[in-house]
Structures are given as C-alpha cells and as structure tokens.
Amino acid sequence: MSHLTTAHVLDVAVRQLRAGSGEKIVFLHGASGLPQWNPFFEALTQNYDVMVPEHPGFGASVAPKTLRNIADMAMYYLDYLDAHGEGGVHLIGHSLGGWIAAEIACRNSSRIKSLTLMAPAGVRVKGVSIGDNFIWSIEETIQNLVVDQALAEAMLSRVPTEEEADLLIANRFMATKLGWEPRWLNPALENWLHRIKLPTQIIWGDTDRLFPAAYGERWRMLIANSKLTILERCGHLPHVEYPLVTAQTIISFLNGAAK
Amino acid sequence: MKFACFTLMPYRPLDMAERNKHRSAWVMLPNSLYDPQKGADEYDSYINQLVYAEKLGFDIIAVNEHHQTAYGMMPAPNLIASALIQRTTTCKIAVLGRALPLVNNPMTIAEEFAMLDTLSRGRLIAGFVRGIGTEYHAMGINPAFSHERYLEAHDMIVQAWTRPGPFEFEGEHYNNRYVNLWPRPYQTPHPPIWVPSQGSSETIRWAAAPEHKYPFLVTFAAQDLVVRYLNMYRDQAKEFGYEASGEQLGWAAPIYVAETEERARAEAKAGAESLFNDYLYNPWEMLLPPGYMSVSSMKATIKMRKALGSRPRTHTIDSLMESGTVIVGTPKTVREQIAKVRDQTGVDNLVSMLQFGVMSDELALRNMELFASEVMPHLR
C-alpha cells in the first residue's frame, strides 16, 4: 500500500506516491504518467522509503510556462531533490524518467547515491530506429510495449474512467512537449554522460520495441563502470511485465555496488 | 459575393488498392506509389484549370499547402502561385495558406509573400494556417508549441511587412537580430491576410479581434457547422464592439453542378467519396497529435466524436450531400443552397472546390464552366 501525498516544488503541487522506510528511493516515471502501485514498488518498500512523484504538467498538475523541455525538467528535479532528498537518494528512472534522471545526474549528483536507468530515452543509436509511440494507436502501443500479449489484452480491457482519460490526455500533451522533436533525444546528452561517476545500473528488456536493446549497450559504453542487465522476453515496461525480477535486480545492485 | 476557384491538386493516379494497405494517404503512404511522369501531368492539368478560372470570371484562384501526402501535391504552394502569376493578369491569387509553425524562421514566409505580391503587382492574398496535425508528423515540428509558434510567426511576418527595418525581433520561438525585408510587399500596408480554419473558437476570436479583422474561412464542414462558425465570428466581432462585414467571412466547399440532380450526383460521387474516405481520412493519432489543440479543446473533441459514433471512411455521396459538406445539384439547387448559407451568415467569399478527389479533368472543366455561367452571376 502506498500513500498518496503531495510534493511542492516551485509553486507546483504534484501527486506523489510514498511508502516504506529506510534509505530514500526516488522513482521517475515514464511518458504514460504516474504508475499504478504494483508488486514492483511493494518489493522496494521492504527496505526503502520509496517516493514516486508525478512530473509537473502530468496528471492534474499545471506545469508553469517555464517548464518547456527536458533541461527545465532536470532543473526542476534538482529543486525537488533539495526539498525532498535530504541525506541523498537512490534515483531510478524509467524511459522518459530515465532520461530526466541522466540529465539531473550530469548537472549535479550531490544528492544522488546511485542511478538506475530502465530503458531510458535521451540517447540515439544512429541507424537503429526507435518505435513511434506518437503514431501508434492505443492498441498498437500497448501491444508493442510488452512481450506478453495476454498482459497486453488485460491492460487494454481495462476501460479508464472519464477522469483517468482526461489525465491521459494531459500526460500525452506534456510528454509531447518533452519528447517530440528531436524524438526522445537530446543530441548533446551523450557528450556529458562522462560526468556521471555514480554507481549506475542500466536495465533493458531484450524485446523492447520502443527503444531497442541495442540502446542499452550504447548507454553502458557512455557511462563509465555502469552495469547493463538485459531481461529476457521482456519489453519496454520491465517493472510491469516482471515486477519482482526487476525489483530484485535493483535491490541486489543497491546492496552490492551501490553500497 | 466573390468567388474563388480552389484546388488541392490531389494525386489522382493513386493505386487505391495499395493505398488501402496503409493507415492513411499521409506521411506513411510509401512514395513508391508516386510516378513522377504522372505527377507532371497532374500539375499541368491543375494549373491549366486555375488559369482557365480567370477567363471564366472567378475573382480569385487559390492553392494551399500540405506535406507528404497524395491528398495534395503542394508542399510549396508559393511555387505554384508564382507560376499562376505569370499566366494570369487580373484575378487575385490566394495561398490558403502557408503553415506558419512548420518553419524555423518565418522571415522566409514574409519574404516569399512579399515577392509574390510584387511579382503580381498586388494580387496576392496571404493565408496563415497551422497545417493539419499530420504536418507535425511529416515535418518533425512539435505540435505542443503549434499555437505559440503560429501567433509569434504571425507577429514577426506582419512586423517585417510594416515596420521600417532594420529592427530586431525578440520572441520565444523566433529571434532575428536583423529584420529588414527587401523587397517589401507591393500592397499597403500588406497583402490581405486570410485565416482558413476548421472552426476552433480560439482561432475565430483571434481572427475577429479589432487589431486583426482577418477574413475567416471555414473549410470542409457540414452546413450547420459552417453557419454556426461564421456566426461565431459575427458574435465575436459584436463583443469587440463592431459589426463584421461579409468580406470578413468565407466558406470553402466542394461543389458540383450538372444539368440534372441525378447526373450531378452520379458524376460527383467518385470524387467526393474518394476525397473524404481515401485522401483526407487520418487516424486520430495522425490528425490530432497531442498539443495540436489545447487539452480542454481535445477533451471536447473526443467527447463529440464519441457521441457521434462516427465510423471511419464510411462517407457516401448521399451522406455528404445531406449534411451539406458537399454541394451537388442543378444550377438552381446549388444556387439555393449557397444563397441559404449567405442569408443565414452574410458570408461574402465562396471558395469553391470544383475538382476534388479522383474527378477527371473533363468533369472538372464542365463543372467549372457551368458553375461560372449558371451559378456565379446570380449570386454576385
């Protein structure tokens, strides 16, 4: 069980899921918005104080006009860490959230103890095209994001309430601001990833149809001493498709290299 | 009323069986389906039609911009406008319009329009649009900033046309240390600006504002919506404290005229159905990318669509005629339909699309001639 709380940064109030106790984990979500609390998060709470803030502009929060791109989001989260990261945090980011996490860590990692990037956006492997989640229909998107098509069907069969549907529109709007062009990419980011000296683990599904697994190898090369873990028969949502395996992969890393 | 002859320049030799294997005739339709020889023939046909329109007495000939699509072969409408200027002498040439947010420096649009205005000695009408959602997929421009870029590009272009240069333009999306147009526009203060739109209330309010008073052109809508949007403009003008003139209102529609109702319906059928079902249709994700509309407009649009329960690509000539999206009939019934909308709204500009979809040159020319001789004079 998580508590729905509110985090205030820069005059923006965003929703934040929080549970557990111990060292702090901050999980930065992907483009589809504040995640469902599931066994992945539950497993992490056994030993950690897990905070899952909603990005400003997502959900019902109104992003200030000053938050227009990924660099702005990184600066926003540096303020967030000043406000909520006392004592340092283990930073985990998925997809869009992974990109933001890497941008933060390049700028200032003084409040970050370790970095876990799950299929992050932000870097390109020339010649290896990524999927186009902006042109895919909702059905195609879900089918392409997970390998297990029974899971895809279950996800699609759940009809969102009107309120949830409204939030999804807002999420897509904000994700578009951040990732449309260049598509899910900051061309300069790879020039600065050498600044990340944190214990870093990169997690990728071997059958990610949005960001192919070749991108994982690229990230491993760009961040010195980082560790790449490839999950088999897994798509773009490791924490949804394999919640316990993914949580265990992160916990082992935090107990080992990141200690 | 004033009459424009407008064409989208659709690529008619399209293999429809192949087209139907793809989600849209836009962006994702492989250009291996395009034949350059046939494309050249298409340009000849359409340019000849527009040049002929001047001889038939149309006040305006008009083109527009779309990208990566068989729906219209004019990614650069100013090139066509330039060719039309050389082959005509008196009619206005309307570019309806250039999609402002798609360029990274609107100076190029200010410059090109100034050149066309000069080349034509003041015959240019400059349309300012955002482009439909697909253009943002085609051109890689972020739809979430489409509105902001449109407004800012507009400011930059109008200033470039009217303020003595050089001056500096300082914007959010566009910045230019030196704005100093050579040549300046031929018309004073600048060519008329028209705003074609599908009827968003934000656009209508902006176009009607006293500092703009830009003619607003409703494109491709059912007749009740045409009436509603044009009267929204009138109401906005009243709110701003003035009465909108008919010249500030325009309506663009496919029109087909023949000697009998049956013949008109039969001859317009393939053109109208292919236009709406095969060329124009786009799935939701392509037509309305996130941010293209405000979140609140998007929510309203989704709700309206759900309520209508519309199934894609099922338009028929009868459903299109019934809603008044296309105007098809004898000269008498076509005159009556147009007069009805004119009487309900005071609209003064009719942008007639007399070739549409797969319609042949032969039918298009006959349609133009009949429209010019039997419809236009009665509504002037």
Side-chain angles (χ1 to χ4, degrees), chain B residues 107-128:
Chain B
M107 282 279 284
T108 57
I109 293 178
E111 288 172 340
E112 286 177 17
F113 274 157
M115 285 175 70
L116 291 174
D117 199 35
T118 308
L119 283 166
S120 66
R121 294 186 181 271
R123 290 192 285 137
L124 180 71
I125 293 170
F128 285 8

Side-chain angles (χ1 to χ4, degrees), chain B residues 214-281:
Chain B
Y214 296 146
F216 156 67
L217 185 66
V218 192
T219 56
F220 294 2
Q223 229 155 69
D224 54 338
L225 288 176
V226 171
V227 171
R228 193 202 301 171
Y229 293 144
L230 292 176
N231 283 325
M232 262 168 74
Y233 187 102
R234 283 196 167 286
D235 294 343
Q236 274 297 334
K238 281 201 192 90
E239 262 182 53
F240 285 124
Y242 75 94
E243 193 70 37
S245 77
E247 285 175 13
Q248 281 170 263
L249 302 173
W251 169 29
I255 299 174
Y256 194 86
V257 200
E259 287 73 11
T260 66
E261 292 291 330
E262 296 70 33
R263 185 170 172 188
R265 182 188 169 284
E267 289 178 353
K269 182 178 161 60
E273 291 179 359
S274 61
L275 169 65
F276 286 94
N277 294 330
D278 301 318
Y279 288 105
L280 180 55
Y281 170 75

Side-chain angles (χ1 to χ4, degrees), chain A residues 131-206:
Chain A
D132 187 354
N133 59 305
F134 288 118
I135 221 161
W136 289 339
S137 66
I138 292 166
E139 290 75 19
E140 285 175 293
T141 302
I142 300 292
Q143 286 158 5
N144 285 331
L145 288 186
V146 297
V147 176
D148 177 1
Q149 290 303 300
L151 175 61
E153 235 168 85
M155 289 165 80
L156 283 167
S157 68
R158 206 185 146 273
V159 180
T161 65
E162 198 168 310
E163 193 188 347
E164 287 169 335
D166 284 354
L167 296 185
L168 289 177
I169 295 171
N171 291 350
R172 265 178 82 77
F173 194 156
M174 192 64 194
T176 299
K177 258 186 198 171
L178 302 174
W180 184 280
E181 183 64 25
R183 190 59 54 86
W184 296 126
L185 173 69
N186 170 5
L189 177 59
E190 65 172 40
N191 301 331
W192 301 107
L193 287 175
H194 67 268
R195 289 179 45 80
I196 299 179
K197 307 277 194 317
L198 299 162
T200 300
Q201 172 166 238
I202 299 149
I203 299 174
W204 225 285
D206 67 346

Side-chain angles (χ1 to χ4, degrees), chain B residues 349-366:
Chain B
N349 297 301
L350 183 71
V351 176
S352 55
M353 194 159 80
L354 301 163
Q355 189 290 328
F356 43 86
V358 296
M359 184 187 296
S360 69
D361 287 351
E362 188 196 339
L363 293 185
L365 289 169
R366 201 179 330 128

